[in-house]
Amino acid sequence: MEIDLIASSLINNSSGDFNSLFHKADIIRKDHVGDEIHLRGLIEISNICRRNCLYCGIRSENMNVQRYRLTEDEILSSAAKAVEFRYGSVVLQAGEDSGIKADWMANIVKQIKNMGLAVTLSLGERDDADYLLWREAGADRYLLRFETSNPKLFNAIHPPLPNREPVDRIEILKKLRSMGYEIGSGVMIGIPGQSYTDLARDIDLFRTIPLDMIGCGPYLPHPQTPLGNPDTYEKHHLPVLDPKDQVSATVDMALKVIALARITCPNANIPCTTAVATIDAKEGRKHGLMCGANVVMPNLTPIKYRKMYEIYPNKAATYLTAEETHESVMQTLRELGRIPSTGRGDSRAMMERKEK
């Protein structure tokens, strides 16, 4: 799809176009990746972060966060839950925690791989040597969201580390692919300063990188961040938009992006993100799976830590046990007639590239 056509689809708000778009995406999803839903157990291993992103509740300058880092035993016990529930993989996610040493993480990856699980890492920007070590230890996938393809907006909301140059996450993703990882990325929808053309370019970038996994969720403001206070926007050099050009941070807009991502990247794995389920706790996950998504990431983080990993407030499943979260996901799949996959959930997009 051309960028202008994608932007037009995002802006058009008629319910008829919604239904047509979602139906088309659902057919493409069924034709290309089938009815199996890949279940990836999410383990939030640390909320310690050296970065100071303007939108994130665990940013380094937020002194109201109770910090934690799971022990090796806690991580492995959480991964064992994934085996018990017959998930094919786990996602180890953290803030950009420099206390997570490369050797320590490599040893954990090896142990989880010995459980028969695929391993996805989402640990932020690291040295190339760390990425290589984890890949050699058996890590299968790496998630690094580029958040927005607009460099001015990205550098405003994601300031570099002190005395460091801004990074190019697109180049990091390409480097990760060259190391043999499946690569995943995505964007926030409705970031202050994000235009419909910006978002259309994001969706086109999913295709041109190309991505194996695509995560898209609505921007949810956190009151203890600069983006949680509109009075500070000018201070942080956010683009100033006409209100009609500003992307709305709604479930409907997130579902549109999921659908357009599926149409644009038919073989990618696309989760229905937690942010969608947070805004629409009753139907959000179901609606995401009906408009192109084929992945769900049930939270396996020990419940006593869930509240502390507060990227945004009131995150879905914060107070549910792993068992309750699992049953909630299973109920949704039963209602939709979808099949919970017990396999690794490897990217068909990557397999197709290897065959060429």
Side-chain angles (χ1 to χ4, degrees), residues 54-55 146-159 188 190-195 198 202 227 236-239 241 246:
L54 270 61
Y55 54 86
F146 63 78
E147 304 298 7
T148 173
S149 57
N150 179 332
K152 181 180 179 181
L153 180 56
F154 178 82
N155 290 328
I157 67 173
H158 185 81
M188 287 186 294
I191 315 164
Q194 180 187 56
S195 72
D198 289 334
D202 295 341
L227 286 193
H236 293 285
H237 309 293
L238 293 169
L241 300 179
Q246 170 65 50

Side-chain angles (χ1 to χ4, degrees), residues 87-237:
Y87 300 166
S89 63
V90 293
V91 179
L92 306 183
Q93 184 177 74
E96 203 162 293
D97 181 358
S98 55
I100 295 176
K101 302 304 180 184
D103 289 344
W104 180 78
M105 179 52 59
N107 179 53
I108 289 172
V109 169
K110 289 176 183 177
Q111 293 183 74
I112 294 176
K113 292 289 289 187
N114 286 337
M115 296 179 180
L117 296 167
V119 176
T120 300
L121 299 177
S122 181
L123 305 176
E125 299 163 17
R126 302 282 300 212
D127 293 336
D128 290 354
D130 295 352
Y131 296 140
L132 281 167
L133 181 64
W134 297 336
R135 177 67 186 137
E136 290 165 358
D140 301 277
R141 305 160 188 148
Y142 205 94
L143 299 180
L144 186 68
R145 285 165 65 122
F146 63 78
E147 304 298 7
T148 173
S149 57
N150 179 332
K152 181 180 179 181
L153 180 56
F154 178 82
N155 290 328
I157 67 173
H158 185 81
L161 291 168
N163 304 314
R164 299 278 189 90
E165 292 296 317
V167 300
D168 186 337
R169 286 194 165 188
I170 307 304
E171 289 306 310
I172 295 174
L173 287 164
K174 292 176 180 177
K175 190 179 298 183
L176 288 163
R177 163 157 296 132
S178 73
M179 296 177 186
Y181 285 98
E182 287 186 20
I183 56 170
S185 193
V187 297
M188 287 186 294
I189 299 156
I191 315 164
Q194 180 187 56
S195 72
Y196 287 101
T197 300
D198 289 334
L199 188 52
R201 288 179 177 143
D202 295 341
I203 295 167
D204 189 60
L205 189 57
F206 299 160
R207 174 186 62 82
T208 58
I209 291 178
L211 294 177
D212 301 298
M213 302 167 284
I214 301 168
C216 310
Y219 162 69
L220 295 170
H222 192 295
Q224 293 161 7
T225 65
L227 286 193
N229 179 6
D231 294 337
T232 69
Y233 289 0
E234 184 176 352
K235 171 185 173 183
H236 293 285
H237 309 293

Side-chain angles (χ1 to χ4, degrees), residues 38-97:
H38 301 303
L39 301 171
R40 297 182 172 166
L42 175 64
I43 308 172
E44 297 158 331
I45 65 176
S46 171
N47 71 347
I48 299 167
C49 192
R50 61 180 178 167
R51 305 306 287 253
N52 213 20
C53 300
L54 270 61
Y55 54 86
C56 183
I58 62 171
R59 65 197 307 264
S60 60
E61 288 186 7
N62 187 354
M63 298 296 107
N64 296 312
V65 178
Q66 183 180 353
R67 305 290 177 173
Y68 75 89
R69 183 185 302 125
L70 299 188
T71 66
E72 178 180 317
D73 286 345
E74 287 173 322
I75 294 170
L76 296 177
S77 295
S78 299
K81 286 287 185 184
V83 175
E84 177 186 337
F85 297 146
R86 302 187 68 201
Y87 300 166
S89 63
V90 293
V91 179
L92 306 183
Q93 184 177 74
E96 203 162 293
D97 181 358

